[in-house]
Amino acid sequence: MLGCSDLTVAYGDIVALHGVTLQVRAGETVALIGANGAGKTTLLQTISGLNKVRGGHISFDGSPLDSLSCERRVRLGIAHAPEGRRIFPGLTVEENLVLATSPWRPPGGRYGDEIAQVFELFPRLKERRRQLGWSLSGGEQQMLAIGRALMARPRLLLLDEPSLGLAPRLAEEVYERVGRIRRSGLTILVVEQNTVLALAVADRGYVLETGRVVLEGAAAELKRDPRVREAYLGR
Ligand SMILES: Nc1ncnc2c1ncn2[C@@H]1O[C@H](COP(=O)(O)OP(=O)(O)O)[C@@H](O)[C@H]1O
Ligand SMILES: [Mg+2]
């Protein structure tokens, strides 16, 4: 479904991705793990069209994405729950969700089905539907960021460190929901520093170090790999 081949991305003189090649097949959940500064956010932003590609290509369903705007990519079915949630603090939960559909819906369009689906997945958001974004806990904000991405009825969901800044129990709760989204058949690319959570939900994984893929394989194999255990699992 998604293919990145030999992707190079730079911020001025700082090269953040050095020839990254990876694939995400339809129906798969793929984890990209790496330390702070490895280039994970840069990769997701590049797939979404927020960063310029210096070298290499990205394809989606076999067609090149490189020249398409962010909005065109959303319309093709790519949705991004960004690092740090980026929800609107002064809008309610429900307004945050409705807003996420507006670019490709006619004014006055109906959002009932999508919202109902998001509320079914995250009952806590339903309870807090009239609450303002800023008043949500970190875990609830993360759920809202994921729910907002789902409002576009995507075919590929990009998740940027959904566990970041959350207490372990909340991070597990968010990942339990990611597992449900996966079982519903949606294709997911999740980037994480939390190797344990990400590899537990994924079919396959890649390890990114300073902008290069250094390891790839089935999630179960990566979990057992001594290099992953030493570098990312603290043993
Ligand atoms: N807007 C930016 N301007 C300059 N350098 C950046 C910018 N964003 C990220 N970088 C640099 O690119 C590298 C990768 O960053 P990032 O993709 O955010 O990594 P990660 O998400 O894995 O923590 C880092 O060296 C970071 O300092
Ligand atoms: Mg990041």
Side-chain angles (χ1 to χ4, degrees), residues 41 83 160-161:
T41 295
E83 185 175 82
D160 196 339
E161 296 210 48

Side-chain angles (χ1 to χ4, degrees), residues 98-120:
V98 169
L99 206 66
T101 60
S102 57
W104 52 96
R105 278 297 183 82
R110 295 175 59 223
Y111 321 106
D113 291 355
E114 288 90 347
I115 290 198
Q117 271 186 352
V118 170
F119 284 164
E120 196 185 325

Side-chain angles (χ1 to χ4, degrees), residues 48-191:
S48 287
L50 295 163
N51 286 329
K52 234 178 105 190
V53 171
R54 183 164 292 186
H57 297 284
I58 309 177
S59 67
F60 189 64
D61 287 341
S63 303
L65 277 188
D66 308 278
S67 63
L68 301 184
S69 67
C70 295
E71 196 193 329
R72 288 288 302 280
R73 296 180 201 210
V74 176
R75 283 172 187 262
L76 286 177
I78 300 175
H80 187 172
E83 185 175 82
R85 341 307 187 204
R86 302 286 172 90
I87 63 166
F88 295 101
L91 298 182
T92 66
V93 166
E94 196 158 0
E95 287 164 346
N96 266 280
L97 292 174
V98 169
L99 206 66
T101 60
S102 57
W104 52 96
R105 278 297 183 82
R110 295 175 59 223
Y111 321 106
D113 291 355
E114 288 90 347
I115 290 198
Q117 271 186 352
V118 170
F119 284 164
E120 196 185 325
L121 185 63
F122 300 114
R124 204 106 65 87
L125 293 183
K126 187 175 184 179
E127 288 164 24
R128 290 167 173 47
R129 63 202 291 169
R130 314 236 180 274
Q131 219 169 293
L132 296 178
W134 65 265
S135 70
L136 301 176
S137 72
E140 290 159 359
Q141 289 189 6
Q142 185 58 58
M143 291 173 192
L144 180 53
I146 296 173
R148 197 173 56 176
L150 293 174
M151 288 297 287
R153 291 188 178 276
R155 294 167 52 227
L156 171 66
L157 179 62
L158 306 175
L159 298 175
D160 196 339
E161 296 210 48
S163 79
L164 192 70
L166 300 184
R169 195 180 50 80
L170 276 176
E172 279 169 25
E173 198 181 322
V174 167
Y175 265 87
E176 193 267 328
R177 302 299 143 139
V178 175
R180 283 197 208 189
I181 297 168
R182 172 192 178 218
R183 288 192 293 278
S184 77
L186 191 59
T187 308
I188 303 173
L189 174 59
V190 56
V191 310

